[in-house]
Amino acid sequence: PLTLCFPQVLGWRVAAAVAWSVLLLPVCTAAFVVLSGLDPFHPLRWISNSFNDLYSSYVIFCILLISVVILVISIFNVEFYAVVPSIPCSRLALIGKIIHPQQVIHSVVHAVMGMLVAWCAAVMTKGKFQFLAVACTPSESLDNAVPQMCLNEYHLFFLLSGAFMGYSYSLLYLINNMNYLPFPIIQQYKYLRFRRSLPLLVKHSCVESLYFVRNFSVAYYFFGYIPKVWISTTMDLHIDSKLHPLDTLTGLLDLSLFYHAWLCGVFLLITWYIAWLLFKIYATETHHFPVQPTFAEETDQCLPKILNSNPPLVIKFLALQDLMLLSQYSPVRRQEVFSLSQPGGHPHNWTAISRECLSLLSDLTQRLITQQEAAAANGRAKQPAGELKVSPQTPGAVVTEDMSFQSQRSNIVPRASMSSLVKSSLMPLKTLPGSDVGSPFSSPALNCKMGILDVNSPWHGSAQSPHLIRRGPKLWTSGSDLQTDGSQHESFPVLSAARVGSEAVQPSFIYTWLQNKQEQIKNFLSKRVLIMYFFSKHPEASIQAVFSDAQMHIWALEGLSHLVAASFTEDRFGVVQTTLPAILNTLLTLQEVVDRHFKLPHVSSKPPRISGSLADTSYKTLRFALRASLKTALYRITTVFGEHL
Amino acid sequence: MCSLALFPPPPPPGDITLYEFNNALVCGRLYEQLPLAFQSQLADLPGLTLPKETLKAHSRLEHSTRPAFIHHRESLWKRCLSAWRDVGLCGVLKEIAGAEEEGLQWVKTGSSYALAVCHWLSSLHGSLFPHLSLTSEDMIAAFSQAVDWAGCTIRAFAWHPHTSKFAVALLDDSIRVYNSNSATIPSLKHRLQRNVAAMAWKPLCASILAVACQSCVLVWHLDPTSLSTRPSSGCAQVLSYPGHSPVTSLAWAPSGELLLSASPVNTAMLVWDVSTENCVQLQWFGGGGVTYLAWSPDGSKVLAATPSAVFRVWEAQMWTCERWPTIKGRCQTGCWSPDGSRLLFTVLGESVIYSLSFSEYRGEMQGQVGGSKTASIVADLSETTFETLYGEERIGGEVHSMVWDPTGERLAAIIRGKRCLRPACPRVLPENPPSSRQKGRKPRRGEESGREGSTHPPSFLPVTPLLRILRRGMCPCSLPASSRMNHLSQPPCKVSVFPQSPHYAWSPTGPLGSVSRSSPWDNRVIQGSPGRAPL
């Protein structure tokens, strides 16, 4: 799908990735040929033989064939990639993913491709592995003059091991979420990134191939006779009785067979992983989106447009990454963001960018709140909801109330189901960023809020001038009468609306009966261990699922905060000032919600140890990155603006 | 070029530099009251005394718990297995070669030969990079920015970038965090926190402190509102990477997102995303390791010094680097101007400060460091004789550590040089407390001047670090017309500039020889506030 929407961005990247992986194939093949002919006792003969083999028509044909395999693998990589990983929350969901038709196709195709690669490997290895059908060893009786064709079990073993490895690769691809495209934490040139990952890739392939061969040997020991008999009957081949059958212990304890199967696995995995790695590197490369279109046709490709439209997710990720980079490194492009439109003088670029970032962040806030409410409803008898209602004594809550009061005036009806906190956070975003500037209340409210932030973080209190904190309460008292009756006015209707809403869905008798039954069944099932095993939600996984796309929010936070910090000196027209209250409000609300999220039960406060594996597991720790960058973003804005806030 | 001759002579014995007032540095006794103008400016930081006797260094020398248990003979295979786990291949070979079991003669001889080959290879490697043959403690002592790291009470020191708070790493591997507006002094201890070589507070954050330890990097999360004096080791994140120890230098990105760590035995420096504990290796072979890191305050460039005569300047967007071979020795220390356009560095074995200028940083020049062709000498700190009331004094030598203050006006440098007192000098007694004196002088335009600090231990103390503060102009290109010189008299082991202009504070702490222990001014952190110089 991505090539259709943005051929200029991604089509070339995919093509380049495929081209490079095909170009690297001869190197891998040469290494394979050299290693497969390993003969430590005759090194000279070994080297000369393998160099002769490199030019043979077999090898060249195999390279062509494997290029096709690489192409197919790359197509699957492109079709299956995701910038937001899908995390199965329970074991049943994982099984569901495995037997999903899409995944079944993936596995079958990979198994076939694995078999093809194994065939090529067998042909290139030569020796006893080369052909499926070989002449039987002549029997001693000599009465049978016609040479019979026998099944070469070594070859069959190779082919089946290839298929097994292809299938295992596909399975691990799913389980380890290898279709996830992690964006690197630092920018680097593609060659350097590739070089950096290569040793890990080789090591990982070697180890994994070892496991695959072991598992396959066990499988072949038990089930090897089935394909053997089947092939020999369909192709009318005999089974050589002189040779040891391979599905016995003595047959499998063959060092040369083991070595070659392992080498074949390493070859297969390395070529496939290289294709995968190159695709990952190319796809996550930064892309420069123009901020201001130079020509009219380019309007669709410039940054504000892309952020506000709904492009494929990867394009949105790239756009946000570009926003983060430009806000951090490029003064010239920042200037374009802060510029006014030529006729009219509206800050369209900034408005579009900030609106999109803020709506992203408030979406996250809302999602977290619903998740927290669900958690509270499950476990702790809805205490947090009570806390929210009680809080008017604390200044923070009053501020939120009063923000919502203010937003009431801008004629947006709050949804009754949401808590007051959500309302307050969402309102200023839905209104146009400039609209609440006129209201005299917005800046004192924020001042109060900043004051609260100061109280929470003592170090900041010392950095900021003390008169701000002194001023905070004063403003606060002056506005208190306004805001108390305001909050009373608006909280009553909301509460009553909620009550009406609950009465409207007054459940009927049958409904309650059904619900009771449902509960009973649930209780019954939950006592069965096996079912619980499959259905139980892994708490860590469900938290990871909530934060699975947090990379977007991290970039939005970084981009926004860097832009705001830079605007202190670079924004000549003052376009950022108008949105500053909304930005701070959103960030602080999110901060509050994220803090509360980390206090939930089952939430570990430390990132898990990351093993140095090839598959990137950074999606598991995104929430910690989000928390850190949120704090940093807040501090960045407040240290730059300091006493001006 | 600036030389030490432009500086005023050191302060009289017993005095230390207290503050700068009206463009002149004022010396006096430590207990003297500061002028009223400064008392409000200067956050009431504690003056702390950390005598060496109370800090008990670690008595256990071995890392393992083995000495605590009764020796038990295991079978050879088990011993080999555990040696493989603990030490690796060399351990296995050594174990087999030293085995007392019978009947394995050829295995024994084979492994002893293999061991000899290993030794030969490692000695070859060591002859290429001599520092690799040091033990990790010696290595930290050699490459740490602290003078006399092994003997000094304070091993590392770090100001918080935003508030009056600082952390001090002590000889006994504990870290204390002092805060101006809180009476609780958290003392941080951790099982892995051994031989602290450097510390760094995370910028744009209230409470995260990264500590470079012998085996890993620890990241402490200290809640500033917490009243606990002994945060649990659960507050620390452990960032370790195989082959990346000991860590001798740390640098946070000024934007607060990334942490760099460097080890003299690892050619790669690691870029950590601390919150997720992800790391990326920045591999660049050659040099044998990375000893010192300095991130430019504008975040655009990073200096990475190596143990051999080459250093690199990385550009921090695409992470490419420029290589700078030096003639004489390794780069000992370096610091960046606040706008990141100029790098000052010193080289071991030369008593001069070099300057390297870089083209102005713009986001468009991706992947280019943009350094000038050659480095120029900006200051010559070779030995200079001062005529003082107390006799002639000679000051000068190699610079051990430097910092440039955030406004770009001052440069503080620790000079590690031989102090020779002329025999005619009346004051040779080791018991004499350090002296300091100041004198105003007006150097020509385009020259630097500054403060210098000196101690007066007699000549038998071979290495005496001096603190010298050079003054530069607001803009590093145009140096000021008027400037001032001064002395901080304590021999410091670590320099650190208080981040909030107009205060500065240095943290001179004494290396504890038998000499200076008699001085009452030992082991103190002194706050001097130069105030805002009227310009």
Side-chain angles (χ1 to χ4, degrees):
Chain A
L2 76 172
T3 40
L4 292 176
C5 293
F6 275 83
Q8 67 275 44
V9 178
L10 284 166
W12 284 114
R13 296 180 167 205
V14 173
V18 173
W20 273 110
S21 40
V22 168
L23 280 178
L24 285 172
L25 189 63
V27 182
C28 300
T29 317
F32 174 76
V33 167
V34 170
L35 286 176
S36 69
L38 183 67
D39 188 358
F41 300 107
H42 306 93
L44 279 181
R45 201 175 66 189
W46 162 40
I47 290 175
S48 65
N49 273 354
S50 39
F51 274 96
N52 288 337
D53 284 350
L54 282 183
Y55 301 109
S56 65
S57 53
Y58 283 125
V59 172
I60 292 177
F61 175 72
C62 283
I63 288 179
L64 289 180
L65 193 61
I66 300 174
S67 311
V68 176
V69 171
I70 295 290
L71 193 68
V72 174
I73 298 289
S74 304
I75 289 170
F76 270 88
N77 281 338
V78 173
E79 286 296 322
F80 274 75
Y81 85 96
V83 280
V84 177
S86 68
I87 298 161
C89 291
S90 63
R91 291 177 183 86
L92 195 73
L94 184 64
I95 293 171
K97 266 174 80 181
I98 291 174
I99 59 172
H100 191 272
Q102 221 181 6
Q103 177 61 28
V104 170
I105 292 172
H106 188 267
S107 302
V108 168
V109 171
H110 274 77
V112 172
M113 293 298 133
M115 203 182 259
L116 272 180
V117 174
W119 182 79
C120 291
V123 167
M124 287 189 292
T125 308
K126 300 216 271 195
K128 58 186 175 186
F129 303 101
Q130 196 167 10
F131 300 111
L132 184 63
V134 287
C136 296
T137 40
S139 50
E140 287 132 14
S141 52
L142 288 173
D143 51 353
N144 199 350
V146 184
Q148 282 185 325
M149 294 308 281
C150 281
L151 175 73
N152 183 3
E153 209 180 340
Y154 291 106
H155 191 87
L156 182 67
F157 185 87
F158 244 66
L159 291 187
L160 289 179
S161 77
F164 180 84
M165 283 171 187
Y167 182 75
S168 311
Y169 171 89
S170 154
L171 210 59
L172 284 183
Y173 188 84
L174 173 82
I175 291 172
N176 291 340
N177 262 323
M178 280 168 66
N179 60 345
Y180 168 58
L181 287 183
F183 285 80
I185 55 173
I186 56 171
Q187 308 304 312
Q188 250 184 320
Y189 286 109
K190 293 190 286 285
Y191 163 68
L192 292 175
R193 279 184 70 190
F194 181 72
R195 196 188 69 176
R196 178 157 56 80
S197 319
L198 202 56
L200 185 65
L201 188 146
V202 172
K203 186 182 146 206
H204 184 78
S205 309
C206 291
V207 174
E208 206 167 69
S209 170
L210 210 62
Y211 284 117
F212 284 173
V213 170
R214 184 198 66 185
N215 295 348
F216 177 68
S217 301
V218 172
Y220 193 80
Y221 177 73
F222 286 111
F223 307 110
Y225 66 95
I226 303 173
K228 195 163 73 177
V229 171
W230 183 65
I231 293 276
S232 59
T233 49
T234 48
M235 294 185 69
D236 197 20
L237 293 170
H238 297 269
I239 288 174
D240 204 330
S241 50
K242 296 286 183 324
L243 293 175
H244 259 300
L246 279 182
D247 53 348
T248 56
L249 271 183
T250 45
L252 281 174
L253 284 175
D254 181 348
L255 199 64
S256 138
L257 175 72
F258 183 78
Y259 171 70
H260 283 109
W262 173 76
L263 200 64
C264 162
V266 172
F267 175 63
L268 179 146
L269 289 178
I270 284 185
T271 48
W272 290 10
Y273 278 138
I274 282 180
W276 167 76
L277 179 70
L278 283 171
F279 170 69
K280 233 172 52 165
I281 288 175
Y282 270 92
T284 54
E285 202 198 353
T286 54
H287 180 78
H288 269 255
F289 294 91
V291 178
Q292 200 116 41
T294 1
F295 302 106
E297 309 90 68
E298 285 178 7
T299 339
D300 289 341
Q301 295 163 30
C302 64
L303 193 59
K305 263 272 160 40
I306 286 175
L307 283 177
N308 275 305
S309 62
N310 240 343
L313 217 48
V314 67
I315 300 291
K316 192 149 193 174
F317 269 66
L318 286 174
L320 281 167
Q321 189 191 27
D322 190 41
L323 173 71
M324 184 270 290
L325 291 174
L326 87 87
S327 69
Q328 205 168 349
Y329 296 112
S330 175
V332 178
R333 295 176 75 204
R334 277 202 296 261
Q335 207 45 252
E336 285 177 30
V337 173
F338 298 138
S339 68
L340 300 180
S341 66
Q342 207 37 270
H346 295 290
H348 287 308
N349 290 336
W350 167 251
T351 317
I353 288 172
S354 62
R355 194 199 305 138
E356 179 56 29
C357 290
L358 289 181
S359 74
L360 266 177
L361 295 177
S362 58
D363 279 351
L364 180 69
T365 314
Q366 193 182 349
R367 210 165 60 198
L368 284 179
I369 287 177
T370 47
Q371 204 241 358
Q372 278 165 19
E373 281 177 352
N378 276 341
R380 292 187 302 163
K382 301 186 181 174
Q383 273 166 4
E387 277 167 29
L388 274 182
K389 291 275 184 270
V390 172
S391 45
Q393 285 93 337
T394 66
V398 184
V399 171
T400 55
E401 285 284 334
D402 115 87
M403 287 306 283
S404 60
F405 161 62
Q406 169 198 327
S407 53
Q408 278 271 318
R409 287 196 304 192
S410 51
N411 293 330
I412 291 160
V413 185
R415 269 174 280 169
S417 60
M418 275 191 282
S419 69
S420 61
L421 193 68
V422 196
K423 269 182 294 173
S424 66
S425 67
L426 292 181
M427 284 322 140
L429 312 172
K430 293 222 174 119
T431 61
L432 263 181
S435 69
D436 51 356
V437 182
S439 118
F441 215 79
S442 62
S443 63
L446 278 161
N447 270 335
C448 282
K449 214 153 189 192
M450 291 317 298
I452 293 152
L453 178 79
D454 290 341
V455 173
N456 289 341
S457 53
W459 73 264
H460 199 254
S462 65
Q464 272 203 340
S465 62
H467 76 256
L468 195 155
I469 300 167
R470 231 179 298 128
R471 200 181 63 191
K474 204 166 57 180
L475 281 169
W476 159 248
T477 46
S478 71
S480 62
D481 51 345
L482 231 178
Q483 145 267 285
T484 39
D485 61 7
S487 64
Q488 274 166 6
H489 274 222
E490 64 104 18
S491 61
F492 277 124
V494 171
L495 285 176
S496 60
R499 212 169 296 135
V500 168
S502 64
E503 276 159 11
V505 283
Q506 187 67 264
S508 63
F509 174 71
I510 302 170
Y511 182 74
T512 36
W513 183 79
L514 274 178
Q515 237 178 2
N516 283 340
K517 277 290 155 203
Q518 205 182 348
E519 282 300 309
Q520 279 173 7
I521 293 170
K522 258 191 193 167
N523 283 336
F524 174 75
L525 287 180
S526 62
K527 280 172 195 142
R528 301 296 171 276
V529 178
L530 189 70
I531 290 174
M532 274 317 286
Y533 178 78
F534 284 119
F535 278 94
S536 65
K537 278 197 168 187
H538 195 253
E540 177 72 20
S542 48
I543 293 162
Q544 282 170 18
V546 174
F547 285 96
S548 59
D549 61 346
Q551 185 68 63
M552 263 198 308
H553 305 109
I554 292 169
W555 282 331
L557 278 171
E558 286 182 6
L560 213 54
S561 64
H562 272 118
L563 279 176
V564 170
S567 78
F568 191 68
T569 50
E570 291 177 15
D571 179 12
R572 281 173 299 172
F573 307 109
V575 295
V576 175
Q577 285 174 33
T578 55
T579 6
L580 197 54
I583 291 173
L584 283 174
N585 190 38
T586 313
L587 295 192
L588 289 169
T589 322
L590 184 59
Q591 166 80 29
E592 214 171 312
V593 173
V594 167
D595 271 353
R596 202 175 313 134
H597 176 85
F598 274 89
K599 283 179 192 142
L600 282 182
H602 308 306
V603 180
S604 63
S605 57
K606 267 184 156 185
R609 299 296 300 158
I610 291 173
S611 55
S613 71
L614 189 65
D616 202 297
T617 52
S618 58
Y619 60 88
K620 289 183 181 166
T621 48
L622 275 178
R623 59 178 185 279
F624 302 102
L626 179 82
R627 182 174 59 167
S629 59
L630 179 59
K631 257 199 186 136
T632 309
L634 273 172
Y635 278 129
R636 184 174 295 135
I637 295 175
T638 46
T639 41
V640 168
F641 279 84
E643 56 213 45
H644 303 285
L645 279 178
Chain B
M1 199 172 71
C2 168
S3 80
L4 282 182
L6 301 164
F7 285 78
D15 281 8
I16 56 163
T17 310
L18 292 176
Y19 52 90
E20 180 179 334
F21 186 64
N22 270 345
N23 225 3
L25 289 173
V26 180
C27 301
R29 300 278 167 172
L30 183 62
Y31 44 79
E32 273 177 32
Q33 274 289 322
L34 292 178
L36 219 58
F38 292 144
Q39 280 172 0
S40 61
Q41 271 184 32
L42 194 65
D44 44 354
L45 284 163
L48 46 141
T49 311
L50 301 162
K52 195 178 184 181
E53 291 78 20
T54 56
L55 302 171
K56 226 176 92 186
H58 274 289
S59 53
R60 53 193 163 107
L61 295 168
E62 291 211 35
H63 301 269
S64 65
T65 49
R66 189 174 296 171
F69 293 95
I70 298 168
H71 188 64
H72 170 64
R73 210 67 199 156
E74 283 169 321
S75 74
L76 182 64
W77 284 116
K78 272 191 179 170
R79 272 182 287 146
C80 285
L81 213 64
S82 69
W84 170 259
R85 253 201 329 263
D86 292 348
V87 194
L89 186 65
C90 273
V92 175
L93 290 177
K94 208 176 272 177
E95 197 68 54
I96 294 176
E100 290 153 8
E101 274 85 352
E102 301 290 313
L104 287 166
Q105 208 50 52
W106 61 276
V107 179
K108 270 196 241 176
T109 41
S111 61
S112 52
Y113 280 125
L115 202 61
V117 170
C118 273
H119 280 309
W120 180 74
L121 278 178
S122 69
S123 69
L124 197 71
H125 196 200
S127 67
L128 279 177
F129 299 112
H131 71 277
L132 292 180
S133 54
L134 297 174
T135 64
S136 59
E137 225 163 293
D138 290 341
M139 207 185 289
I140 296 174
F143 297 120
S144 162
Q145 289 290 300
V147 177
D148 188 22
W149 178 87
C152 184
T153 358
I154 293 183
R155 295 193 147 175
F157 183 93
W159 281 107
H160 193 281
H162 302 289
T163 183
S164 359
K165 178 154 105 174
F166 60 89
V168 181
L170 301 175
L171 190 61
D172 62 347
D173 292 337
S174 69
I175 292 175
R176 292 187 199 168
V177 178
Y178 294 88
N179 195 343
S180 66
N181 42 18
S182 139
T184 51
I185 299 166
S187 167
L188 314 178
K189 286 180 185 172
H190 194 276
R191 187 172 51 86
L192 295 169
Q193 187 173 293
R194 314 194 70 226
N195 295 331
V196 176
M199 288 189 296
W201 290 94
K202 180 177 175 177
L204 297 177
C205 183
S207 56
I208 295 184
L209 175 70
V211 181
C213 309
Q214 190 171 19
S215 57
C216 61
V217 178
L218 283 178
V219 179
W220 285 95
H221 295 251
L222 306 166
D223 186 2
T225 53
S226 157
L227 293 173
S228 135
T229 52
R230 179 74 202 273
S232 77
S233 56
C235 300
Q237 254 177 300
V238 181
L239 308 177
S240 65
Y241 191 85
H244 194 76
S245 64
V247 183
T248 55
S249 188
L250 289 175
W252 282 98
S255 60
E257 275 124 18
L258 300 171
L259 173 71
L260 275 178
S261 70
S263 164
V265 297
N266 196 348
T267 51
M269 51 184 200
L270 300 186
V271 185
W272 293 93
D273 182 2
V274 170
S275 54
T276 60
E277 298 190 6
N278 272 332
C279 82
V280 173
Q281 284 194 74
L282 287 176
Q283 190 76 270
W284 202 265
F285 297 100
V290 182
T291 55
Y292 175 71
L293 294 170
W295 205 310
S296 70
D298 68 333
S300 62
K301 284 179 277 291
V302 178
L303 163 78
T306 67
S308 46
V310 64
F311 68 92
R312 286 188 285 272
V313 178
W314 291 82
E315 160 272 328
Q317 191 183 356
M318 295 303 285
W319 294 99
T320 52
C321 67
E322 259 180 15
R323 202 172 149 273
W324 284 89
T326 59
I327 298 166
K328 238 185 157 172
R330 70 181 166 90
C331 171
Q332 165 64 33
T333 183
C335 58
W336 290 93
S337 66
D339 62 347
S341 66
R342 188 173 285 231
L343 169 70
L344 297 185
F345 66 93
T346 63
V347 168
L348 209 68
E350 282 183 283
S351 50
V352 290
I353 299 177
Y354 290 98
S355 153
L356 248 181
S357 58
F358 291 85
S359 50
E360 200 190 331
Y361 181 72
R362 312 190 56 84
E364 282 67 32
M365 37 172 280
Q366 283 198 344
Q368 287 169 37
V369 185
S372 58
K373 291 273 175 280
T374 52
S376 54
I377 297 177
V378 290
D380 181 11
L381 305 179
S382 52
E383 232 170 48
T384 312
T385 311
F386 287 95
E387 288 286 344
T388 67
L389 292 178
Y390 313 93
E392 274 185 20
E393 282 186 42
R394 299 175 69 184
I395 293 172
E398 296 168 26
V399 175
H400 190 82
S401 174
M402 291 194 290
V403 270
W404 200 331
D405 84 322
T407 59
E409 290 176 38
R410 302 280 197 286
L411 179 76
I414 298 179
I415 297 176
R416 164 190 274 220
K418 207 176 265 174
R419 286 292 309 279
C420 297
L421 294 179
R422 284 278 187 83
C425 175
R427 193 183 45 72
V428 206
L429 293 174
E431 287 76 29
N432 274 353
S435 71
S436 72
R437 188 196 289 172
Q438 67 100 33
K439 186 168 90 184
R441 206 179 275 189
K442 298 230 168 196
R444 291 194 312 275
R445 184 178 177 80
E447 284 175 338
E448 300 171 0
S449 61
R451 313 173 160 191
E452 64 191 357
S454 63
T455 45
H456 288 255
S459 49
F460 61 74
L461 195 66
V463 174
T464 306
L466 307 174
L467 181 74
R468 166 173 297 258
I469 297 135
L470 301 174
R471 179 156 183 195
R472 319 195 91 229
M474 293 294 279
C475 155
C477 306
S478 67
L479 298 172
S482 74
S483 47
R484 193 136 313 276
M485 312 158 202
N486 221 325
H487 301 264
L488 280 191
S489 54
Q490 291 288 76
C493 66
K494 183 89 180 92
V495 210
S496 176
V497 173
F498 188 60
Q500 287 167 343
S501 55
H503 315 270
Y504 305 115
W506 286 272
S507 59
T509 47
L512 295 171
S514 55
V515 183
S516 46
R517 189 174 299 160
S518 57
S519 153
W521 316 122
D522 271 346
N523 310 326
R524 300 235 172 160
V525 170
I526 297 156
Q527 301 86 44
S529 164
R532 197 187 295 263
L535 291 171

